[in-house]
Amino acid sequence: MAAIFPNDWRWWRGRALPSPAGAVAEEEDEPRASPRLPLLTTTLSSACCGPSAAPPAMVPSEENQLVPKEDMFWSCRQSIFAEMKKKFSQVESAAEEPRVLCIIQDTTNSKTVNERVTLNLPASTPLKRLFEDVASKVGYVNGTFDLVWGNGDNVTDTQTPIDQNSDKTILDAGFEPGKKNFLHLTDKDGEQPHIMPEESGTTDDSAQDRLIGPLPREGSVGCTNDYVSQSYSYSSVLSKSETGYVGLVNQAMTCYLNSLLQTLFMTPEFRNALYKWEFEESEEDPVTSIPYQLQRLFVLLQTSKKRAIETTDVTRSFGWDSSEAWQQHDVQELCRVMFDALEQKWKQTEQADLINQLYQGKLKDYVRCLECGYEGWRIDTYLDIPLVIRPYGSNQAFASVEEALHAFIQPEILDGPNQYFCERCKKKCDARKGLRFLHFPYLLTLQLKRFDFDYTTMHRIKLNDRMTFPEELDMSVFIDVEDEKSPQTESCTDSGAENEGSCHSDQMSNDFSNDDGVDEGICLESNSAAERISKAGSEKSSLLYELFSVMVHSGSAAGGHYYACIKSFSDDQWYSFNDQHVSKITQEDIKKTYGGSSGSRGYYSSAFASSTNAYMLIYRLKDPTRNAKFLEAHEYPEHIKQLVQKERELEEQEKRQREIERNTCKIKLFCMHPTKQIMMENKLEVHKDRTLKEAVEIAYKLMDLEEAVPLDCCRLVKYDEFHDYLERSYEGEEDTPMGLLLGGVKSTYMFDLLLETRRPDQIFQCYKPGEVMVKVHVVDLKTESVAPPISIRAYLNQTVSEFKQLISKATHLPAETMRVVLERCYNDLRLLNVSSKTLKAEGFFRSNKVFIESSESLDRHVAYTDSHLWKLLDRHANTIRLYVSLPEQSPGSQFRRGVYQKSSGDSGNLDEGCERVKGPVGNMKSVEAILEESTEKLKSLSLQQQQEGDNGDSSKSTEASDFENIESPLNEIDSSTSAENRELENQIQISDPENLQSEERSDSDVNNDRSTSSVDSDILSSSHSSDTLCNVDNAPLPLANGLDSHSITSSRRSKANQGKKETWDTAEEDSGTDSEYDESGKSRGEAQYMYFKSEPYAADEGSGEGQKWLMVHVDKRITLSAFKQHLEPFVGVPSSHFKVFRVYASNQEFESVRLNETLSSFSDDNKITIRLGRALKKGEYRVKVYQLLVNEPEPCKFLLDAVFAKGMTVRQSKEELLPQLREQCGLDLTIDRFRLRKKTWKNPGTVFLDYHIYEEDINISSNWEVFLEILDGVEKMKSMSQLAVLSRRWRPSEMKLDSFQEVVLESSSVEELKEKLSEISGIPLENIEFAKGRGTFPCDISILEIHQDLDWNPKVSTLNVWPLYICDDGAVIFYRDKTEELMELTDEQRNELMKKESSRLQKTGHRVTYSPRKEKALKIYLDGAPNKDLTQD
């Protein structure tokens, strides 16, 4: 139109048009040219003659302006109007033409295969435009992808791409209006689509107009983006909305409550009546008084300066706790329950009948005999009118509220089996049953019943169909005046309808029935007919209602969001009350809540329509005599004025409190308790204007030090808790405000405060900025002990020599012989041997740790890395503490007690302790009889090993000699006890060969109860703090039971081990599990890091009665194999016959099997459980074997733990399983009667063939799991090219599923699958339809859903393509006969079947498709709190 009518079209619009005959104007000598002439000429030329035509002839007019000649002018005019008519016809036809629903699925990658793009296009849209819209929507470059038909029935060739360059419309290309047109977006020429650059990824407006649903628009209320809660800061809550209205804070899911409360607040009659009610505090608790809390809320909504206020006080008066905030309820249900609660609270008050006066209407439920005219009826009252969106059984929704109201009062005919027994005719007769409105309330509430239950899918659904509602609603057409003068109507009774259960009363929102007879002049006997007709006629003439509240629901039947659109009666302006946000809206925004889409209403109009639509409508009767206005402030009752003043004072107090909060410094406070010696932590909150002296007093009371130390012995210092560093003290600043000291009020501080204490005879040390803190540990080489730290402060510019003098003063050790070692980071021990270097150059930081040694020993002259000091510190830094749980029936436990029985009560030096232990070894009369025969043998073996150790180790390095000579007598104990244990092992194996087997079997049972994850024990790692152990190397401590701690520092278990030079890591191949034995079977226990110290430990209660624990200090660089060897004397069996389990949180255990890995992933105080059972050797894997029972309710049953080895064939593993299955599981099988197959969670996978080799053909890992499947006949799987699927027939006519049957295919052909299914079922090949099962095996699905929910008969030729993707054995295939009809079920049968199916699927642990969350009934407790009845759920 812009091209047809330019801006200068007014030039000729206002002038007199020349007559058809024309009149030639007189020419002037110098005609004046109009400034608009060139523009008009150009416009008319292009409009009439085209751009290349010559300009029309011009003649002077009477006003001396040139105008076109009349014939040319009229032709131009006709062309203009023809063009206009064409444009308008296009617009009109576009509105009327059918639309095509296109659903596009992106199959180009696995991430988008489950996503769908929906377009709703006019049928005349060209194919080119379709591709442009799809590209714009999915973000791909147009032309880099293809569109092919999906699983629709409209096209037979599903693989041929749609021609993008075709000039056809989508209607001509085969798209069908009114149906779903499925398309697949696929790769073009084998290449994936190109992603559109971000700057070109915007969608144009025309493309957006064709999308289903409302478009997101900022500020619009009816849009779907209103469902997303808008972000707001705390400061925004404090400022009132520009609309002048206050919002309500959503506690969690209380939007439904907020919508109703705002509607009641904006109702003048309700608000004014609520204000007139006066609360009597002497009669009721204000916390539980619902009317009082509503009063407070309304006062705050009217007077508060905040943007939004809380509703917690109101919900608390309902008796709700915080959990109720997470329960979303129906707003109409809340309205009924809250009105009922208010009526109960308002009994015996002026407001007792307020709800009825405002919201209650009356209707008649009648049944009239069609033979004699007798009518039975009853009067019902209602608070709202429920209007169905769709009639029952129909796919077409009502177009408007008026249509739904007419349907509500439309009577139904009772005939046939539903005939009515007439009291007058004394027989069953045809009758008319229906409802008649007798009285409409002042405030009319209409509920649009958008939530329904779909019995086909057994799902709750929301109906999003379009239903319009007027701004003014005339209800006079719905009230029945004729009913008042019917001569056949009997008096009011409830006995007129025999089958009362079929009445429409179940549609009513509120079944309030008047039991005390008919009131308010409804009954015929109360007034004359003329009076009644006159009254009804006058009422009918004044039933015009105006809409003022629309409560909108956005979302689905599973959940969503409520907000309210409310018209203010003060200014007739519409507002959106969306929780905290209040904004102005227009009438157009109200129309967006009609629901549905802009197209014609059809079957799919609800499923693909906007989910944001009106749910409850509230109208007010237009009656000037009754329409109230809101009370002004001067009109408030006195108690409301007092309440307003009270709330203002509370708000001001809250404002002052917020001001205080903004000026309060909050910082972490630490304090080392002077007597308990524990670090305490708290948060110090002090006003920024408080002085340091006042802050110390606050901290003193906060830390509860009144009885521990005087106040003047405390001070606050700046502290860095992370580095444990005292940054500075505040001398002379006792009167300085804390705000200045801390650098202002901040949300977080980069430092902390420490409340430092001292004894009365001490003085505080001055901590200056720039100083560094050093923790000094004194090392004693003789006792191999590391003393607890003492703190020293130094400067970074001090030299090492000056630093030694500083330490010497603090420790009273000579500086001349002092060696200082700095631990810069974990395991980085640096000797400070350059005296002139500064501490900064040596790497000192805020907080540092140093070790000093100042003895006169020769160790000072040894190279640092070879010195005793370095080895001791290295061991100290890498030692961790572990708690080891020993087996309850450990064979070596009594033996260990016998060895150490005589060494109780003395904590002398280690050598003496060891000598005392050596004595009784040769004279152990208290040991079991089985050990007495080997006593002399063990003594001689011990002596021999001691001599060999003394002679054979003389040529070793200094490092080895140091470590061996420290506790060499104890090595003898270790050797002898190890020999005794080996002898003990032999005796046990001879006397009870079943012992270990039974122990391992019980371990299998234990493993079955634990998680079967393949996660190894080394998945968690945490750094070790060397501060933890300061005294691990001190002399053995006397224990509670009288035993000395056992210490092993160098384990040389045999002569053969001494000769083995190969380390673990070079000896091991890269296999998943390692062995502690080499190929010759010799032990590989030799390692570099062998520190191990253990002592009995009394565990906490609850750790198991009789459970034995060890507390072990061990170098975490030791390998798991060496660690197990050290545990042998305590377990009593070789390390190859027990297993190590690491205990994680919640007592979850995982076996540690990688023997060549160290304990570096362990940290202090980790727990370890030892269980008896054969440990794995090199190349072996522990495998859990489960039985696959395809037709049992629980198809996965644990059988046993087995061990498979690398290089073993599947047949060999089956041969080893046979005796275990017979002995442990009672399964007597032959090797050809069962198969092994892959297990992934609970899904059966690849069938393993007998000739397959583990680690070559089959990948195997730690804690592996396999299925064992017993065969019914001969094994059909012979080759890897075959495919085994599990089929199950669905019989729709019987509503049942047959048992599983295995089908072995030679290829992945769909045709072969159908042939096989036809063979086993007898169904003709052409009638076979199949679908792939979903979810975890056995892919259980409700028989009420299987017929329509599965993707039956996919249009594919092979099984290994989308949407099947069947590439491995074990897939589940359902099949059926397509000619078999589905059984028709009655409602009772369907409900019964639904209960059985839900119970069955829940018992099997599989997904129940229809499993709505358990909804909590909406209740308001009048006493303020629910009854805690234990019998209630």
Side-chain angles (χ1 to χ4, degrees), residues 862-873:
V862 181
Y864 171 60
T865 54
D866 295 331
S867 66
H868 189 189
L869 174 64
W870 182 88
K871 295 173 185 176
L872 182 61
L873 294 179

Side-chain angles (χ1 to χ4, degrees), residues 167-184:
D167 293 327
K168 291 182 179 180
T169 65
I170 58 176
L171 188 63
D172 298 332
F175 290 75
E176 296 185 21
K179 291 188 176 181
K180 294 180 182 179
N181 297 273
F182 290 93
L183 299 173
H184 290 164

Side-chain angles (χ1 to χ4, degrees), residues 17-205:
L17 295 177
S19 62
V24 179
E26 294 181 3
E27 297 183 8
E28 291 185 356
D29 293 339
E30 294 178 6
R32 289 173 298 172
S34 168
R36 300 181 182 87
L37 182 59
L39 178 59
L40 176 66
T41 306
T42 305
T43 305
L44 294 179
S45 306
S46 59
C48 306
C49 312
S52 60
M58 307 299 292
V59 295
S61 69
E62 294 178 353
E63 299 178 354
N64 296 326
Q65 290 184 346
L66 295 178
V67 296
K69 289 184 178 181
E70 62 274 12
D71 54 343
M72 184 276 301
F73 184 88
W74 285 106
S75 64
C76 290
R77 184 171 178 269
Q78 291 173 358
S79 300
I80 290 171
F81 285 108
E83 191 72 21
M84 291 172 58
K85 184 177 180 181
K86 181 180 178 182
K87 294 286 184 182
F88 285 130
S89 63
Q90 289 179 356
V91 173
E92 187 175 359
S93 61
E96 295 176 354
E97 74 171 317
R99 299 179 78 86
V100 176
L101 183 65
C102 305
I103 301 175
I104 301 98
Q105 185 173 15
D106 187 356
T107 62
T108 57
N109 63 73
S110 59
K111 294 182 179 179
T112 61
V113 72
N114 293 323
E115 299 178 2
R116 288 174 169 79
V117 175
T118 303
L119 299 176
N120 193 17
L121 306 175
S124 60
T125 303
L127 288 175
K128 291 181 180 178
R129 186 67 191 203
L130 170 66
F131 277 79
E132 292 172 4
D133 291 348
V134 173
S136 178
K137 186 65 176 173
V138 301
Y140 292 155
V141 177
N142 192 13
T144 63
F145 60 88
D146 283 332
L147 294 177
V148 299
W149 288 103
N151 298 335
D153 298 327
N154 50 351
V155 177
T156 55
D157 187 3
T158 62
Q159 301 301 320
T160 304
I162 297 173
D163 186 5
Q164 179 178 357
N165 300 317
S166 174
D167 293 327
K168 291 182 179 180
T169 65
I170 58 176
L171 188 63
D172 298 332
F175 290 75
E176 296 185 21
K179 291 188 176 181
K180 294 180 182 179
N181 297 273
F182 290 93
L183 299 173
H184 290 164
L185 190 151
T186 62
D187 300 338
K188 187 178 181 68
D189 300 329
E191 294 185 3
Q192 283 199 333
H194 300 164
I195 298 177
M196 187 183 298
E198 292 184 2
E199 59 271 13
S200 62
T202 57
T203 306
D204 62 338
D205 295 337

Side-chain angles (χ1 to χ4, degrees), residues 401-670:
V401 164
E402 294 92 326
E403 274 190 33
L405 281 168
H406 279 292
F408 185 82
I409 60 175
Q410 180 69 30
E412 62 175 321
I413 302 299
L414 302 180
D415 55 5
N418 292 327
Q419 277 188 325
Y420 158 71
F421 185 84
C422 178
E423 293 289 341
R424 180 176 296 175
C425 301
K426 301 301 181 184
K427 64 174 183 176
K428 285 192 174 183
C429 306
D430 291 350
R432 179 184 293 112
K433 179 182 184 298
L435 300 169
R436 296 192 186 104
F437 287 113
L438 302 180
H439 168 70
F440 288 112
Y442 177 71
L443 296 173
L444 178 66
T445 305
L446 303 179
Q447 181 206 3
L448 309 185
K449 300 181 69 175
R450 293 195 174 273
F451 298 110
D452 203 354
F453 190 82
D454 190 341
Y455 286 97
T456 304
T457 61
M458 305 306 292
H459 282 72
R460 284 182 61 189
I461 58 173
K462 182 184 176 188
L463 303 176
N464 293 311
D465 301 81
R466 178 182 176 85
M467 176 178 279
T468 64
F469 45 86
E471 191 171 1
E472 289 190 350
L473 178 61
D474 186 3
M475 295 297 291
S476 60
V477 297
F478 302 105
I479 198 161
D480 200 330
V481 178
E482 296 298 324
D483 177 63
E484 299 295 336
K485 53 186 178 180
S486 173
Q488 299 292 338
T489 303
E490 299 293 334
S491 61
C492 176
T493 178
D494 284 338
S495 61
E498 180 178 314
N499 53 345
E500 190 174 326
S502 64
C503 294
H504 281 213
S505 59
D506 58 335
Q507 298 185 33
M508 302 314 299
S509 301
N510 199 323
D511 293 333
F512 295 109
S513 296
N514 294 329
D515 299 330
D516 53 349
V518 183
D519 57 1
E520 298 193 13
I522 300 295
C523 193
L524 295 178
E525 289 81 358
S526 58
N527 291 310
S528 65
E531 291 175 350
R532 287 192 304 273
I533 295 172
S534 174
K535 182 179 178 180
S538 63
E539 182 180 4
K540 184 170 182 176
S541 63
S542 60
L543 289 178
L544 188 62
Y545 286 82
E546 62 176 326
L547 178 70
F548 79 95
S549 177
V550 180
M551 278 172 259
V552 183
H553 181 268
S554 176
S556 66
H561 178 61
Y562 284 99
Y563 61 92
C565 302
I566 306 174
K567 184 175 76 171
S568 171
F569 289 112
S570 301
D571 56 5
D572 287 337
Q573 169 66 47
W574 282 92
Y575 297 92
S576 166
F577 292 84
N578 191 350
D579 288 338
Q580 301 95 318
H581 309 281
V582 185
S583 57
K584 289 185 178 181
I585 57 174
T586 64
Q587 190 64 36
E588 290 301 315
D589 294 312
I590 300 299
K591 292 179 180 180
K592 291 176 182 178
T593 65
Y594 290 165
S597 56
S598 57
S600 60
R601 290 178 291 124
Y603 181 81
Y604 295 109
S605 63
S606 175
F608 298 96
S610 168
S611 65
T612 302
N613 34 54
Y615 181 62
M616 274 186 71
L617 311 173
I618 301 183
Y619 287 83
R620 186 177 77 162
L621 182 67
K622 296 188 73 172
D623 184 357
T625 62
R626 296 185 64 185
N627 293 157
K629 294 184 179 180
F630 296 113
L631 292 177
E632 298 294 335
H634 66 275
E635 299 175 318
Y636 290 163
E638 190 60 32
H639 63 275
I640 295 296
K641 292 180 181 178
Q642 295 175 3
L643 183 60
V644 170
Q645 183 64 27
K646 178 182 177 182
E647 294 300 331
R648 282 179 178 170
E649 292 174 357
L650 289 175
E651 191 165 316
E652 287 299 321
Q653 183 180 349
E654 183 182 346
K655 184 178 178 180
R656 289 193 297 270
Q657 186 61 35
R658 285 198 305 268
E659 189 67 26
I660 294 174
E661 289 288 327
R662 283 197 293 267
N663 292 298
T664 298
C665 303
K666 300 178 181 179
I667 189 170
K668 273 188 179 181
L669 176 68
F670 295 88

